[in-house]
Amino acid sequence: MDTGDTIAFLKEREEKLGAPIKFRTYTPWFAKLGGERRDWGVFLYTDGKTMVYEDFDREPMILGIPLPGRKKKDDYVKLEASFPVKEIISIDRVTRQDAEASLKRNHDVSRNAGWFSKAIRKLVTKVTLSDGSIFFMETMDHKKFKEMIEAFQKEET
């Protein structure tokens, strides 16, 4: 259930997007090959045509207790970008280990997770765009995410 603050936030995002948000989710871990990486999560939303991702400055905590060694507030750089949904050419499941290896090498070495990997390893969603950009994200519900993107792409054609 959305609170008043959440509803106001979503309204603001819809105004910025210029259309109602049709799908939204939170990705606890997010990275773009050769680009940004966020270990504390990213808000992902779309109007069915444009996928937007953005993060928020937050103080690291455990059980509501701030962790020592917090970087200065000035060290935070907001991540906010978008891409057209129609540019997504594939959505796959890969292991987080493969995603991390790809990020380390700055070159995609991931492969679709097999049944064994799906059973014992942490999985992430890999989104590939037509321009070659690759995003790795820990989606809350991979199947629903993929189904929604496919439905939006059908609407476009």
Side-chain angles (χ1 to χ4, degrees):
M1 182 174 188
D2 293 331
T3 66
D5 288 343
T6 304
I7 292 168
F9 169 79
L10 293 173
K11 278 272 189 231
E12 183 181 306
R13 291 304 176 262
E14 287 178 338
E15 288 172 15
K16 197 173 185 180
L17 195 54
I21 293 174
K22 292 184 177 180
F23 178 76
R24 62 188 161 110
T25 190
Y26 178 74
T27 62
W29 181 83
F30 178 92
K32 180 180 178 186
L33 189 64
E36 311 85 7
R37 177 187 177 131
R38 294 297 189 262
D39 293 312
W40 60 83
V42 168
F43 181 53
L44 188 69
Y45 58 98
T46 183
D47 63 353
K49 295 180 183 189
T50 302
M51 180 69 64
V52 181
Y53 56 95
E54 68 177 289
D55 72 342
F56 305 92
D57 189 19
R58 69 165 194 77
E59 191 169 344
M61 295 185 187
I62 294 181
L63 302 172
I65 302 167
L67 295 173
R70 166 78 167 142
K71 292 181 181 178
K72 294 177 187 170
K73 193 138 181 99
D74 296 340
D75 290 343
Y76 170 73
V77 176
K78 181 159 181 69
L79 168 65
E80 185 173 6
S82 64
F83 55 86
V85 169
K86 68 181 179 184
E87 288 189 11
I88 298 173
I89 59 171
S90 67
I91 301 172
D92 301 298
R93 290 297 265 173
V94 300
T95 65
R96 169 93 179 248
Q97 182 178 359
D98 278 1
E100 294 280 4
S102 296
L103 296 171
K104 186 176 183 179
R105 294 183 176 116
N106 199 23
H107 158 75
D108 185 26
V109 296
S110 67
R111 56 190 184 280
N112 287 343
W115 67 270
F116 186 72
S117 292
K118 288 179 181 177
I120 65 166
R121 297 193 187 270
K122 186 170 192 146
L123 300 177
V124 296
T125 299
K126 173 184 165 185
V127 175
T128 306
L129 303 184
S130 57
D131 69 0
S133 299
I134 296 174
F135 298 88
F136 296 103
M137 56 189 83
E138 188 178 341
T139 53
M140 301 305 254
D141 185 342
H142 170 78
K143 185 177 177 182
K144 182 176 180 182
F145 175 77
K146 187 172 181 173
E147 287 171 354
M148 293 297 292
I149 296 302
E150 288 170 352
F152 295 145
Q153 288 178 327
K154 285 179 185 170
E155 287 176 10
E156 285 285 308
T157 56

